[in-house]
Amino acid sequence: RRAGRLGGAGLVVSFHGFDLESAVPFYPALFESSDLFTANSNYTLGLATAMGCPTERARKLPMGIDLEVFKPASPTPENGDAPASILFVGRFVDQKGPDLALRALAHLRRIVDRPCALTLIGDGPMQEELGGLARELGISGEVFFAGPLPQEQVREAMSKATVFLLPGRVGSGGRQENQGVVIQEAQAMGLPVVASDTGGVGEGLDDGRTGFLVP
């Protein structure tokens, strides 16, 4: 725009949250010169305006998903003897709470009769810690670390799961989940979601209908 290369075109800037974790030197100029700003949740919008994004030019615009890709799988008969399959998909970082998923599984073993298994798709800095915690809790046999997988295999895992779990928290530096697109993907496939009410997660889940929002 400064070089006059845009002609009369408007300049729209989209924020997703990770890009608002720290001050960026050119953001003040960006806020001044752009015509419109979008953010994927009210939570992300708040982060942007706190950094100086002009509220009169800022709008919430959640990321969408392809409903031809994420759609309910053909129903299969429920096998009451098979373990209930809990699925976590995301980076292994504190704000997504993968360690809380392990502790939840350990708790379920004590209070329900049906066996449960937990699959974690992803990786990150907590990988080694999570392996140690699974051993400490005595649930290594019920926990499967699948590593990072392509979308097709994530979709397949969702089609076979009993419930999707996103046990987020307020992480280091106050970091929280911005939208949690993966829970929209799970809901689009008809998979019940249990998620923590952090950041923008509650904006994308119909509590009590498509899932359960936990304080």
Side-chain angles (χ1 to χ4, degrees):
R1 168 160 281 190
R2 285 177 170 174
R5 302 287 181 85
L6 298 186
L11 179 59
V12 180
V13 177
S14 297
F15 289 112
H16 297 274
F18 182 79
D19 38 19
L20 292 165
E21 284 192 347
S22 59
V24 178
F26 65 80
Y27 275 11
L30 188 72
F31 293 146
E32 181 180 346
S33 63
S34 301
D35 298 292
L36 181 69
F37 302 89
T38 69
N40 57 12
S41 68
N42 286 326
Y43 169 70
T44 307
L45 199 60
L47 295 178
T49 55
M51 290 185 66
C53 179
T55 56
E56 69 276 7
R57 284 181 275 142
R59 302 289 184 273
K60 172 184 172 180
L61 183 64
M63 290 180 62
I65 59 171
D66 187 346
L67 297 180
E68 290 301 314
V69 174
F70 292 94
K71 56 187 177 181
S74 300
T76 55
E78 177 75 4
N79 181 355
D81 296 327
S85 173
I86 304 166
L87 179 63
F88 170 97
V89 179
R91 288 264 297 154
F92 295 165
V93 290
D94 59 350
Q95 67 264 22
K96 292 183 183 289
D99 56 314
L100 298 179
L102 297 182
R103 295 186 185 280
L105 176 64
H107 182 62
L108 280 174
R109 289 183 66 190
R110 297 191 293 269
I111 65 172
V112 298
D113 293 330
R114 184 177 178 181
C116 301
L118 171 66
T119 298
L120 297 99
I121 297 176
D123 62 5
M126 295 179 69
Q127 177 83 53
E128 187 174 340
E129 174 189 338
L130 294 174
L133 181 59
R135 292 188 293 273
E136 177 187 324
L137 295 171
I139 57 172
S140 295
E142 291 81 36
V143 175
F144 177 57
F145 293 98
L149 298 177
Q151 186 183 78
E152 182 178 343
Q153 289 179 261
V154 171
R155 198 168 65 244
E156 181 181 358
M158 286 182 173
S159 72
K160 297 176 180 178
T162 309
V163 63
F164 187 88
L165 179 61
L166 184 65
R169 60 156 69 90
V170 179
S172 57
R175 183 87 168 87
Q176 300 181 52
E177 191 72 27
N178 293 285
Q179 178 183 344
V181 175
V182 70
I183 70 169
Q184 276 86 60
E185 294 171 347
Q187 290 171 98
M189 294 193 67
L191 182 59
V193 171
V194 177
S196 297
D197 189 9
T198 59
V201 170
E203 301 172 42
L205 187 153
D206 191 352
D207 189 22
R209 182 169 177 264
T210 62
F212 298 95
L213 203 58
V214 181

